[in-house]
Amino acid sequence: MNTKHIYILLFTLFLTTASQAQLFSKEKVRNLESVDKETLSWGYYLGFNNLDFKFDYNNNIGDIQTERTIGFNVGLLGNVRLNDYFDLRFEPGLVISQRNLMYSENYFAGFDEEVTDSDLLREVKATYVYFPLLLKISTKRVNNFKPFIMAGISTAINLSSNEQNPDDNYAGAFRMVKNMQFFELGFGMDFYLDRFKFTPSIRGVFAMKDEIVRDKDPNSPWTGNVNLMQTRGVFINFTVQ
């Protein structure tokens, strides 16, 4: 299942749940009546990620294919209530992901050494210490449901970047920038249960600058044709407050 299919599935679930909340809008027992009145509230989240790379090339010699894998998110939540419809959220956490880059043999035309299978594949592992700051914009609560959208920016430290590694792809080391910034946009639904508020959400993540650290050789088959490489992908988080 690719990123597009995940968006379609979760958006459909989101609309279905919202529609049911409207259809059954007859007044019911409301759980946690005062939870949204607190100026400060706390929680934690667990989730998954599916990250990709967007490439811009110098020459048209074929695309670098990205094999995506499912990663893991975990972190804490601090929420500041601004009013009935706006909240400011800080969600520091850890994001672990892996993407496999598969190169075409076209990239190695004129390469001095024999091309092996290991030359055509780079496993790009990333462990981000993640600091997102998000604005949450909610609708009016309907019984025990409340849909919302959110947007914001985040900064991240990639502990697996290899940015300071003196070796490059000629020694098998793919390098990326250590400090990154991202733009985020998403939606979700608050479910008010008996004892806590449960919130599934989905959001797109888009890098705001080039992430690749180029090899020392400007004609490197791994980085020489890459004008721009930026992370993009999706986070699916489940929050408890």
Side-chain angles (χ1 to χ4, degrees):
M1 181 179 291
N2 59 31
T3 305
K4 181 180 178 181
H5 292 154
I6 293 173
Y7 268 116
I8 293 172
L9 175 61
L10 289 175
F11 187 65
T12 301
L13 291 173
F14 176 78
L15 289 180
T16 301
T17 306
S19 299
Q20 290 176 343
Q22 293 292 337
L23 287 172
F24 300 101
S25 57
K26 183 179 178 181
E27 205 57 41
K28 299 180 180 180
V29 175
R30 291 166 64 95
N31 299 323
L32 305 175
E33 281 275 17
S34 62
V35 68
D36 288 340
K37 300 300 182 182
E38 299 176 2
T39 303
L40 295 175
S41 58
W42 312 95
Y44 63 89
Y45 64 86
L46 298 170
F48 305 95
N49 65 71
N50 187 253
L51 301 184
D52 193 1
F53 282 123
K54 176 184 177 182
F55 287 97
D56 183 37
Y57 302 100
N58 294 317
N59 299 298
N60 185 21
I61 60 173
D63 292 347
I64 301 171
Q65 301 299 316
T66 307
E67 180 184 44
R68 301 183 297 272
T69 63
I70 301 298
F72 181 68
N73 315 323
V74 60
L76 303 175
L77 163 69
N79 188 90
V80 179
R81 178 183 181 273
L82 303 179
N83 56 38
D84 288 342
Y85 301 103
F86 292 90
D87 295 87
L88 195 62
R89 302 166 72 98
F90 182 53
E91 300 184 359
L94 193 67
V95 176
I96 300 172
S97 72
Q98 178 175 330
R99 288 153 282 184
N100 299 324
L101 301 183
M102 295 173 287
Y103 288 82
S104 165
E105 292 187 2
N106 294 341
Y107 276 77
F108 295 85
F111 194 52
D112 294 337
E113 302 177 11
E114 181 182 355
V115 179
T116 65
D117 290 342
S118 62
D119 292 325
L120 301 177
L121 174 67
R122 285 292 178 265
E123 294 182 351
V124 183
K125 298 179 180 179
T127 302
Y128 296 103
V129 180
Y130 212 70
F131 303 99
L133 185 63
L134 305 167
L135 180 65
K136 176 185 176 185
I137 306 172
S138 304
T139 67
K140 183 178 179 179
R141 175 174 170 173
V142 179
N143 294 321
N144 291 313
F145 305 91
K146 186 164 71 172
F148 64 86
I149 60 173
M150 55 186 168
I153 57 174
S154 55
T155 185
I157 302 170
N158 185 358
L159 302 179
S160 307
S161 70
N162 277 329
E163 182 176 19
Q164 302 302 321
N165 192 338
D167 293 330
D168 59 17
N169 279 287
Y170 285 90
F174 190 90
R175 301 180 298 176
M176 295 195 301
V177 172
K178 184 175 183 179
N179 297 306
M180 280 300 300
Q181 292 78 44
F182 299 91
F183 171 72
E184 305 191 19
L185 182 66
F187 59 88
M189 176 83 73
D190 288 329
F191 293 89
Y192 298 84
L193 306 181
D194 288 339
R195 297 183 180 276
F196 59 87
K197 183 165 66 173
F198 176 69
T199 305
S201 65
I202 177 172
R203 63 182 188 255
V205 180
F206 309 92
M208 299 171 66
K209 69 177 186 179
D210 190 12
E211 238 173 312
I212 196 169
V213 175
R214 287 162 181 80
D215 296 336
K216 299 169 188 175
D217 180 1
N219 297 315
S220 164
W222 294 279
T223 64
N225 191 42
V226 178
N227 180 54
L228 187 70
M229 184 187 82
Q230 295 176 301
T231 288
R232 61 181 179 182
V234 60
F235 286 180
I236 302 172
N237 285 338
F238 303 94
T239 303
V240 174
Q241 287 179 265

